[in-house]
Amino acid sequence: MKRIIHILTILVCSISMMSCEDFLTTDNKSNVTDKEYFSTKTGFEFLVSNAYAKLRDIYAGSSVPTYFNAGTDLYADGRSRINDQLHEYETLNPENSSMKELYEKCYQGIRAAYAVKHYAPAANIDDAFRNKRVDEARVLAAHYYYLLVNTFGGVPLMKEYVSDIHTGYPRASASDVYTYIVEELEEVINANALDASTAEKGGGRASVESARALLGQAYLAAAWDLNKTEYFAKAAQVADAVIANRGLITPFADLWRADGSGDDNEEFIWDVEYDYATANNTVGGGHYWDSFYCNLIGGQEDHGKSSTSSFVISLHGLKCFERGDIRYNVTFMKELPDLAAAQIYSYWDWYKNGETFIGTPLKRYYSAWYETEQDIAAWKALDPENRKDTWIIPMNDNTNDPQEYLTSGLSYEEFVKYSFGGSPCRKFDDSNTASYPTKTDYRDIHIITLSEMYLIAAEAYLKAGNSEKALDRLNETRQRAQLSKATSIDIDAILKERVCELFGQGSRWFDLRRTQKLVEYNNLYNPRLKGFAQQAIGQKLLRPIPQAAIDANKLLTAADQNPGY
């Protein structure tokens, strides 16, 4: 008979990827069966919480940039290198550990979601609550499948919880996976058992709004991948339904306040929820996002902030931001005091002083690529005494040594390999903890936002042949950024806007793969692939199905592997 220990075991083992033996223990002191425990409201809610927790396994770990942004135009090596296989393609193979990890975590999430549906009929809860939780789980499963199909193409398609041993599942086509995602989400939306929106209630629960937003993402990706042009119109229609005539009225800076005060704004449609005030672990129970997209800017003893020292924004990414775009200063920290053990100044002083370094002697100023000498003189004039000796480091093709203060100059690609090489990303900073160690960021992780819906609508309308509406949707994000309206639109313009509006969010690799720009943009802008991306990428337009998945699944063979591997 299954006991509680087995209950915990089934929630951590993926469908065919790994043995469950490592998770077993022989000391089972409970006489409560799985059905008995999960029939209680407490037990059933444990299942639901576990399904949501799988989102953290994917989005809250240190590998998020590697999963979704390696091998693109926007990111360069810092002092640490981006995963060689994923960023350069030529040596990428089915043994890649990062892709194996993502594949496993998605299927663990799917299985956890299906466990909710499996045990729901016997749960001692009212029908409305039961239906709500089951449909939340269906949205979660659809999201995990969305990640899988956009990364690997067709994958094995489970549609129900598996309580006994199965030897494997055949690989479904991408068309079958997209069809399943669409059907599940449309059924959930039509059933209307979920809250209309949870954005202003924390945003962590799936809602009708988030289901509809995910449906818009799925229709858009499927339209490209399956060459179903009618899906572009559907994607536009669904995205507009999410937008629901709402403008982007909250100032961009207020949305991304480092104190988290913007986290529960209506624009943040679906989140991985964090809350420092109620966290069980307030020392290392957060996530890594404040360390992403930053080079090394001093150690803990230097009063800096933690960084991955990789995925530094490329020069191409910087130049996507136009002069006057207010999102630039919200996304990047341009000023740094002397971060050294012998000094008293800290990276976090900027927040403690009310988002300013006025009154603090500054060591470095990372001037934006469009700034002129007159702009820099005006900046110095705001605090002349504390800025007279500041080392000016242009974020441009030719810049200066950020450490030794040499004036001989460096190319941007050389520059980012130095400590302090590049404007640190501050968009995901947590000023409440203001702490150096990793996993001390307790701000919400935003999976889907309202502004992304505008850009999905822009892309979908463009591909559906309605450039006027596409421009309208694009210009909504530009208007909030205090930029002039664009007068023409193409896929490149939309991809450019996604950089500025959604930097660090979502998946740049998905965007380039979906829009069939993966080779072109890597060839132009990936520092490691410039000029020979076609040769390096070849047929590798999807990530490899992990070899471990093929070996463990009796219904998969080498013939199921993606082209190029």
Side-chain angles (χ1 to χ4, degrees):
M1 181 179 289
K2 294 177 182 175
R3 305 297 181 189
I4 287 296
I5 189 62
H6 292 146
I7 295 169
L8 299 177
T9 302
I10 62 173
L11 298 176
V12 294
C13 297
S14 63
I15 57 169
S16 298
M17 288 289 295
M18 64 182 73
S19 169
C20 291
E21 292 177 2
D22 293 340
F23 301 103
L24 293 174
T25 174
T26 57
D27 187 18
N28 177 18
K29 298 178 181 179
S30 173
N31 290 316
V32 181
T33 68
D34 57 338
K35 290 183 179 179
E36 289 170 339
Y37 179 62
F38 292 140
S39 68
T40 67
K41 184 173 182 179
T42 299
F44 183 70
E45 284 289 77
F46 171 83
L47 282 176
V48 177
S49 296
N50 183 67
Y52 277 106
K54 300 308 178 186
L55 288 174
R56 288 193 177 191
D57 291 345
I58 293 172
Y59 288 105
S62 60
S63 296
V64 173
T66 303
Y67 293 159
F68 302 121
N69 292 315
T72 69
D73 57 324
L74 289 190
Y75 303 98
D77 298 314
R79 290 186 73 230
S80 301
R81 288 172 66 85
I82 297 172
N83 183 290
D84 288 334
Q85 291 185 1
L86 292 168
H87 206 47
E88 294 180 350
Y89 292 87
E90 281 189 309
T91 60
L92 180 59
N93 64 73
E95 300 293 345
N96 183 268
S97 60
S98 295
M99 290 299 99
K100 176 177 179 287
E101 186 178 85
L102 178 60
Y103 189 94
E104 288 178 351
K105 288 180 177 180
C106 285
Y107 274 111
Q108 288 166 1
I110 289 165
R111 196 163 194 268
Y114 286 158
V116 175
K117 182 179 178 181
H118 176 74
Y119 287 97
N124 187 23
I125 52 179
D126 65 68
D127 287 343
F129 186 80
R130 185 191 339 273
N131 294 338
K132 182 177 182 180
R133 291 294 190 252
V134 167
D135 280 0
E136 287 177 28
R138 293 171 75 184
V139 175
L140 286 167
H143 179 68
Y144 297 128
Y145 272 123
Y146 174 80
L147 297 181
L148 285 168
V149 73
N150 276 274
T151 305
F152 304 103
V155 292
L157 186 59
M158 290 196 319
K159 298 184 179 181
E160 298 292 340
Y161 176 74
V162 179
S163 58
D164 56 358
I165 296 174
H166 276 59
T167 57
Y169 295 83
R171 184 182 186 185
S173 67
S175 178
D176 287 342
V177 178
Y178 277 123
T179 297
Y180 181 68
I181 293 170
V182 167
E183 289 177 348
E184 283 290 283
L185 293 172
E186 287 185 336
E187 284 186 16
V188 166
I189 292 165
N190 291 333
N192 204 32
L194 302 180
D195 289 341
S197 173
T198 59
E200 295 179 284
K201 304 173 186 176
R205 291 276 183 193
S207 63
V208 172
E209 181 181 50
S210 59
R212 190 171 277 126
L214 179 55
L215 180 61
Q217 290 179 326
Y219 267 133
L220 183 65
W224 284 95
D225 288 350
L226 307 179
N227 196 28
K228 287 197 170 187
T229 55
E230 67 274 18
Y231 274 12
F232 287 118
K234 287 180 178 290
Q237 180 183 12
V238 171
D240 272 354
V242 177
I243 292 167
N245 297 314
R246 292 178 290 176
L248 301 177
I249 58 175
T250 303
F252 195 76
D254 289 349
L255 282 177
W256 294 100
R257 291 283 177 207
D259 63 4
S261 58
D263 277 358
D264 291 341
N265 188 279
E266 68 169 349
E267 288 194 29
F268 294 134
I269 293 170
W270 197 21
D271 302 332
V272 178
E273 191 76 7
Y274 278 83
D275 181 23
Y276 181 77
T278 60
N280 292 325
N281 181 354
T282 58
V283 178
H287 55 77
Y288 292 86
W289 280 65
D290 62 346
S291 67
F292 291 162
Y293 316 116
C294 301
N295 219 331
L296 182 67
I297 51 170
Q300 186 167 6
E301 70 283 2
D302 302 317
H303 322 294
K305 80 159 180 170
S306 177
S307 65
T308 58
S309 300
S310 63
F311 287 93
V312 179
I313 188 170
S314 67
L315 187 59
H316 162 65
L318 288 169
K319 290 192 173 183
C320 288
F321 290 85
E322 302 171 28
R323 182 181 183 88
D325 190 333
I326 63 170
R327 296 171 295 194
Y328 188 96
N329 287 355
V330 177
T331 304
F332 303 106
M333 181 72 79
K334 296 170 63 178
E335 307 167 351
L336 288 179
D338 191 4
L339 301 180
Q343 298 294 334
I344 62 171
Y345 309 111
S346 165
Y347 172 90
W348 300 102
D349 289 345
W350 193 81
Y351 297 106
K352 294 175 183 177
N353 296 336
E355 299 193 349
T356 181
F357 274 130
I358 294 289
T360 301
L362 292 180
K363 189 76 170 181
R364 299 173 177 86
Y365 179 68
Y366 299 93
S367 56
W369 69 271
Y370 47 74
E371 287 188 64
T372 64
E373 291 183 6
Q374 290 76 18
D375 294 323
I376 295 169
W379 172 81
K380 286 187 173 184
L382 295 174
D383 192 8
E385 183 61 26
N386 290 305
R387 298 179 178 184
K388 62 184 180 182
D389 297 321
T390 303
W391 187 240
I392 306 301
I393 307 172
M395 296 294 92
N396 217 328
D397 304 80
N398 296 304
T399 187
N400 298 321
D401 186 320
Q403 273 187 288
E404 303 300 330
Y405 316 115
L406 302 176
T407 56
S408 56
L410 292 170
S411 70
Y412 185 84
E413 292 173 15
E414 294 173 308
F415 159 77
V416 294
K417 296 175 183 176
Y418 287 70
S419 295
F420 296 97
S423 285
C425 176
R426 74 172 191 88
K427 186 177 180 181
F428 309 110
D429 284 354
D430 186 340
S431 63
N432 292 316
T433 56
S435 179
Y436 181 87
T438 57
K439 298 186 72 176
T440 54
D441 190 342
Y442 290 85
R443 288 176 58 194
D444 293 346
I445 301 170
H446 305 301
I447 301 176
I448 305 178
T449 67
L450 183 61
S451 61
E452 183 189 0
M453 289 297 105
Y454 271 96
L455 296 174
I456 285 175
E459 186 177 328
Y461 275 123
L462 176 67
K463 294 297 291 181
N466 192 333
S467 296
E468 182 179 354
K469 282 191 174 181
L471 260 177
D472 286 344
R473 303 303 180 270
L474 180 75
N475 280 326
E476 186 71 24
T477 62
R478 289 180 60 85
Q479 179 178 328
R480 177 167 62 183
Q482 298 182 10
L483 297 173
S484 61
K485 287 187 176 182
T487 57
S488 62
I489 189 169
D490 56 18
I491 289 299
D492 294 315
I494 295 169
L495 289 172
K496 174 177 175 290
E497 187 63 18
R498 290 184 76 94
V499 176
C500 307
E501 184 68 27
L502 305 173
F503 179 79
Q505 303 163 243
S507 171
R508 184 62 169 183
W509 193 83
F510 285 7
D511 294 342
L512 297 187
R513 186 203 65 78
R514 179 185 70 250
T515 58
Q516 301 169 12
K517 293 282 186 175
L518 190 65
V519 172
E520 178 187 342
Y521 273 45
N522 272 286
N523 194 64
L524 290 171
Y525 307 119
N526 182 335
R528 293 209 224 160
L529 293 182
K530 284 182 179 179
F532 64 96
Q534 179 64 68
Q535 173 187 336
I537 297 173
Q539 292 182 294
K540 296 179 179 180
L541 301 177
L542 292 166
R543 300 306 199 191
I545 302 292
Q547 189 60 45
I550 295 175
D551 293 342
N553 188 336
K554 291 185 178 180
L555 296 182
L556 292 181
T557 70
D560 290 303
Q561 186 55 266
N562 284 322
Y565 305 103

